[in-house]
Amino acid sequence: MDKLKKVLSGQDGNDDSNVLAERVSEATTLGWGTRVKGFIACFVLGVLCSVMGVIFLWIPGNGLTLFAVFYTFGNITSVCSTLFLMGPMKQLKKMVEPTRAIATAVMLLCLVLTLCSAFWWKNNGLAVLFCILQFFCNGMVQFVIHSFCKRCCEEVFFCLPDIRTFHLSPVYGR
């Protein structure tokens, strides 16, 4: 019926692609509750994989390889957990913004180098070093991506009452 109305009103164009894209978008859009559940599930899975990787580090033999694989998979899953909150395209666009591109590149490089040091180079020290760098880069990328987290941390660390401004405030008669 809508198509007939468009034809009769002279608006018949190639809107089939727009209608199809709109239907796909509506079908794949998640509600807020589903997004939060997906975020929590992926984040918990990522943390569990990372913890399992640390436990596997102490297994003799293939422990280093298991450590690198599980720790890296855990970090990837933790980063992907935020895809549920902001959507994949929005997060990817934010990750490649000029202020975040270096942190993203270093994090991805550390992910690859961790696996290379475990599988091909067989160097325990490098694998552990790259995992530590993964941890810090992952934290930096997550901190930079989420402005809400950034604002909360700024409020906690930088907005503590300052005695000098407290006394100079016009509210207190000065």
Side-chain angles (χ1 to χ4, degrees):
M1 188 70 168
D2 290 332
K3 201 169 194 178
L4 180 62
K5 286 180 183 177
K6 287 183 181 180
V7 169
L8 293 176
S9 66
Q11 297 175 355
D12 186 37
N14 279 339
D15 290 339
D16 290 337
S17 63
N18 291 340
V19 171
L20 180 63
E22 189 175 304
R23 286 184 183 170
V24 169
S25 176
E26 288 175 5
T28 58
T29 301
L30 300 174
W32 182 248
T34 307
R35 288 175 181 254
V36 171
K37 289 175 188 173
F39 166 75
I40 291 171
C42 279
F43 187 76
V44 168
L45 179 66
V47 169
L48 285 175
C49 285
S50 295
V51 169
M52 284 175 49
V54 171
I55 292 170
F56 287 146
L57 181 62
W58 307 109
I59 295 175
N62 289 333
L64 174 66
T65 305
L66 291 172
F67 165 70
V69 169
F70 274 88
Y71 194 82
T72 301
F73 181 73
N75 276 339
I76 291 171
T77 307
S78 294
V79 169
C80 289
S81 69
T82 57
L83 292 174
F84 285 100
L85 295 179
M86 18 177 33
M89 291 308 295
K90 187 174 180 182
Q91 181 169 349
L92 290 175
K93 286 178 183 177
K94 283 190 171 201
M95 287 176 75
V96 296
E97 285 180 357
T99 57
R100 300 170 174 110
I102 294 174
T104 302
V106 171
M107 183 189 71
L108 294 174
L109 181 67
C110 287
L111 292 172
V112 170
L113 290 175
T114 300
L115 294 175
C116 288
S117 63
F119 286 117
W120 291 287
W121 304 330
K122 305 272 188 218
N123 191 331
N124 297 353
L126 278 179
V128 172
L129 175 69
F130 290 134
C131 282
I132 292 169
L133 290 175
Q134 263 187 55
F135 175 78
F136 287 115
C137 290
N138 187 11
M140 187 167 65
V141 167
Q142 294 299 323
F143 181 74
V144 170
I145 285 176
H146 302 293
S147 59
F148 176 73
C149 175
K150 188 176 178 181
R151 277 186 274 134
C152 288
C153 291
E154 285 175 351
E155 286 181 20
V156 169
F157 292 114
F158 300 116
C159 293
L160 296 174
D162 187 11
I163 293 173
R164 289 175 290 164
T165 58
F166 180 74
H167 292 293
L168 296 176
S169 175
V171 176
Y172 296 104
R174 287 191 175 193

